[in-house]
């Protein structure tokens, strides 16, 4: 076939057309020559199409082999993996432990049972709620034996890096540290990255440390919806220092203050002056202000910021605890000033324990969270009420179309709920 095509391709058109131009050539021969020319053109077109297609396939293969965006083949399980063991593991994962089994594991210091219990506590499933309450009530007598520390600050201040350095210092002293890291949830996708462990790569490998990231969800104040109950479970599991890392907070997001013993506010140099410092809000709740990132060329600026915030703190009224807030500088990278932060916390605990404020504050916090839990449960029951759910959609449309005011629509829904 290739030989025939080569012969045809090598033919000279003028040679082929010469008999047609001659008047002596019979008509039938001219017709045959014309048909031959048409076939010749089609054959040539077909041949070029094959060449073009072959070239395109070759280029695509080259692109696939050189592109960095390609999917690698999966890794096949090794031959020594036992199918029996795999089935047992899968069966074990499907089995949900009872509340009594979870409590037994938590009191024995089992991290797996602690994590499962926290997942139950964070769930909005009604069945899970009943089981979670049973676990919490059983763990409550074994709780309240830790120091609860809240760490907050603006985004980018270095909270996660500081907590890792601080946590490693505590574990080196023989402490068991639990870090409850709260990540902000997107208001658009409602998702959360939960990437705090990636910044605490050393602490996460420490056998005396436990890191539990949680999404803030629709909860304001820099903490998650069930952080309070999670503290109780961690204390029952034997952790004697609980560190709560809030989301990046502003002036008014201070809910974390109502669940910790010591409130630590991280700052960076250049974040504000004395006027910023005396503004009411998160600043007046802080038991200590630490200027982070005091390393390299930033040491001088950090010391200046410490002086400014120290002046501002003297303008606040005295705290009920009798504690005078302190300021300090530290570097989570070089670990300078980390042990001084822990010494400050120990001094605070000793002072407030001696004057009984430590116990009094926890009692007040329990009362506060009683009211907060009632409010949350009422809100949850309201939105899950079948008649309210149906009526809510209709009232939403009426409000959007300006057929009824939002206040009147809310009154109708509340009357339906309380009937």
């Amino acid at each position: 076939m290739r030989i025939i095509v080569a012969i045809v391709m090598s033919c000279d058109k003028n040679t082929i057309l010469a008999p047609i131009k001659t008047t002596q050539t019979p008509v039938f021969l001219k017709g045959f020559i014309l048909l031959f020319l048409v076939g010749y053109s089609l054959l040539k077109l077909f041949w070029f199409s094959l060449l073009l297609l072959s070239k395109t396939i070759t280029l695509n293969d080259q692109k696939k082999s050189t592109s960095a965006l390609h999917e690698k083949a999966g890794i096949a399980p090794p031959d020594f993996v036992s199918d029996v063991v795999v089935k047992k593991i899968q069966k074990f994962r499907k089995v949900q432990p009872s509340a009594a089994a979870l409590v037994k594991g938590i009191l024995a210091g089992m991290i797996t049972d602690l994590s499962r219990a926290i997942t139950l506590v964070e769930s909005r499933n009604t069945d899970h709620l009943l089981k979670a309450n049973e676990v919490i009530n059983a763990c409550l007598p074994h709780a309240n034996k830790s120091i609860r520390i809240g760490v907050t600050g603006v985004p980018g201040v270095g909270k996660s890096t500081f907590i890792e350095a601080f946590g490693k210092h505590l574990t080196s002293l023989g402490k068991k540290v639990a870090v409850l890291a709260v990540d902000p949830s997107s208001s658009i996708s409602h998702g959360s990255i939960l990437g705090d462990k990636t910044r605490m790569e050393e602490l996460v490998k420490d056998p005396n440390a436990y890191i539990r990231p949680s999404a803030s969800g629709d909860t304001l104040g820099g903490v998650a919806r069930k952080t309070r109950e999670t503290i109780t479970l961690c204390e029952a599991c034997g952790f004697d220092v609980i560190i709560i890392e809030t989301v990046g907070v502003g002036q008014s997001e201070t809910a974390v203050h109502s669940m910790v013993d010591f409130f630590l506010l991280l700052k960076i140099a250049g974040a504000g002056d004395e006027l910023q410092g005396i503004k009411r809000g998160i600043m007046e709740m802080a038991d200590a202000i630490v200027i982070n990132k005091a390393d390299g060329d930033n040491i001088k600026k950090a010391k200046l910021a410490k002086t400014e915030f120290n002046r501002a703190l003297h303008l606040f009224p005295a705290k009920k605890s009798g504690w005078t807030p302190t300021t300090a500088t530290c570097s989570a990278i070089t670990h300078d000033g980390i042990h001084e932060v822990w010494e400050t916390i120990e001094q605070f605990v000793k002072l407030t324990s001696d004057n009984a404020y430590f116990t009094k504050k926890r009692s007040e916090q329990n009362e506060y969270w009683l009211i907060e839990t009632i409010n949350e449960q009422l809100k949850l029951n309201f939105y899950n009420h079948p008649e309210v759910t149906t009526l809510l959609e209709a009232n939403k449309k009426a409000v959007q179309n300006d057929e009824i005011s939002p206040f009147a629509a809310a009154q109708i829904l509340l009357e339906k709920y309380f009937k």
Side-chain angles (χ1 to χ4, degrees):
M1 180 66 182
R2 291 184 177 179
I3 296 174
I4 297 174
V5 172
I7 294 171
V8 172
M9 299 287 275
S10 62
C11 290
D12 186 8
K13 286 186 179 181
N14 295 324
T15 305
I16 298 174
L17 292 175
I20 299 178
K21 297 178 180 179
T22 305
T23 55
Q24 297 177 354
T25 304
V27 176
F28 74 92
L29 185 58
K30 290 182 179 180
F32 177 79
I33 293 173
L34 289 174
L35 288 174
F36 175 79
L37 288 175
V38 171
Y40 164 78
S41 301
L42 292 175
L43 183 61
K44 192 173 182 180
L45 180 62
F46 174 72
W47 179 253
F48 280 121
S49 299
L50 287 177
L51 290 175
L52 182 60
L53 179 61
S54 175
K55 188 67 175 177
T56 304
I57 293 174
T58 303
L59 290 174
N60 288 337
D61 290 340
Q62 290 177 352
K63 287 181 179 180
K64 288 180 180 179
S65 61
T66 57
S67 175
L69 300 175
H70 62 279
E71 184 177 353
K72 293 184 178 180
I75 301 175
D79 297 333
F80 57 83
V81 174
S82 172
D83 294 335
V84 177
V85 175
V86 171
K87 289 180 180 179
K88 284 185 178 180
I89 293 174
Q90 292 174 344
K91 184 179 180 181
F92 172 76
R93 287 177 177 174
K94 291 180 181 179
V95 175
Q96 295 297 326
S98 63
L102 288 176
V103 172
K104 182 179 179 180
I106 290 172
L107 297 181
M110 300 295 292
I111 297 299
T112 302
D113 291 314
L114 173 62
S115 299
R116 281 185 162 184
I118 294 174
T119 302
L120 278 178
V121 167
E122 294 177 343
S123 174
R124 293 181 181 268
N125 187 299
T126 307
D127 296 334
H128 291 172
L129 179 62
L130 296 174
K131 191 174 179 180
N133 288 336
E134 187 178 348
V135 173
I136 292 172
N137 290 333
C139 290
L140 199 56
H142 306 276
N144 298 308
K145 299 177 183 178
S146 73
I147 299 174
R148 305 166 184 171
I149 305 170
V151 179
T152 189
V154 297
V157 74
K159 294 187 292 296
S160 297
T161 309
F162 169 82
I163 289 174
E164 180 178 41
F166 186 58
K168 289 295 292 182
H169 174 70
L170 294 178
T171 56
S172 68
L173 299 177
K175 304 289 184 181
K176 289 191 67 178
V177 181
V179 179
L180 307 181
V182 183
D183 260 10
S185 296
S186 170
S187 59
I188 299 175
S189 65
H190 306 289
S192 186
I193 297 176
L194 303 179
D196 295 273
K197 285 187 176 182
T198 60
R199 292 198 184 99
M200 306 180 194
E201 56 183 350
E202 293 298 326
L203 187 62
V204 76
K205 294 182 289 187
D206 196 311
N208 290 323
Y210 171 68
I211 303 174
R212 172 73 184 205
S214 299
S216 63
D218 55 359
T219 305
L220 299 177
V223 293
R225 184 173 58 94
K226 293 294 184 178
T227 301
R228 169 73 180 187
E229 290 89 330
T230 304
I231 292 174
T232 301
L233 297 178
C234 290
E235 289 177 339
C237 195
F239 292 97
D240 41 27
V241 179
I242 313 294
I243 302 175
I244 303 172
E245 179 194 358
T246 72
V247 302
V249 297
Q251 287 280 1
S252 60
E253 295 170 300
T254 54
V256 66
H257 180 263
S258 61
M259 61 177 69
V260 297
D261 306 313
F262 190 88
F263 193 40
L264 177 64
L265 177 61
L266 288 181
K267 286 282 189 178
I268 51 177
D273 52 13
E274 290 182 45
L275 179 60
Q276 183 70 21
I278 64 176
K279 287 182 179 179
R280 294 300 185 261
I282 199 169
M283 188 74 70
E284 63 181 346
M285 293 184 177
D287 296 305
I289 297 176
V290 176
I291 315 300
N292 194 20
K293 302 184 179 181
D295 45 49
D297 297 335
N298 208 35
I299 295 179
K300 186 177 180 180
K301 295 179 182 178
K303 290 181 178 179
L304 179 60
K306 173 189 172 182
T307 303
E308 291 179 347
F309 283 118
N310 198 32
R311 290 172 182 167
L313 287 176
H314 288 292
L315 300 175
F316 288 127
K319 288 181 175 288
K320 295 180 181 179
S321 61
W323 172 258
T324 302
T326 63
T327 58
T329 61
C330 80
S331 170
I333 302 298
T334 63
H335 293 197
D336 291 332
I338 295 295
H339 70 279
E340 286 85 356
V341 174
W342 176 240
E343 289 176 357
T344 300
I345 295 174
E346 287 185 314
Q347 293 171 8
F348 171 85
V349 172
K350 184 179 185 307
L351 174 68
T352 54
S353 297
D354 292 342
N355 61 19
Y357 179 80
F358 191 92
T359 306
K360 180 183 177 182
K361 183 179 180 181
R362 286 204 172 182
S363 299
E364 292 175 350
Q365 289 177 346
N366 290 337
E367 180 182 348
Y368 170 82
W369 284 103
L370 166 66
I371 304 302
E372 286 297 308
T373 304
I374 292 174
N375 292 337
E376 182 186 342
Q377 193 61 46
L378 285 173
K379 179 182 176 181
L380 185 64
N381 291 341
F382 175 81
Y383 285 108
N384 288 334
H385 194 283
E387 294 184 9
V388 170
T389 303
T390 304
L391 192 60
L392 179 61
E393 294 302 320
N395 277 271
K396 279 183 179 179
K397 294 180 180 179
V399 169
Q400 291 173 355
N401 296 330
D402 290 329
E403 297 174 1
I404 188 174
S405 71
F407 312 103
Q411 189 63 35
I412 293 173
L413 292 168
L414 289 171
E415 289 176 356
K416 172 63 70 174
Y417 175 73
F418 285 112
K419 278 185 179 180

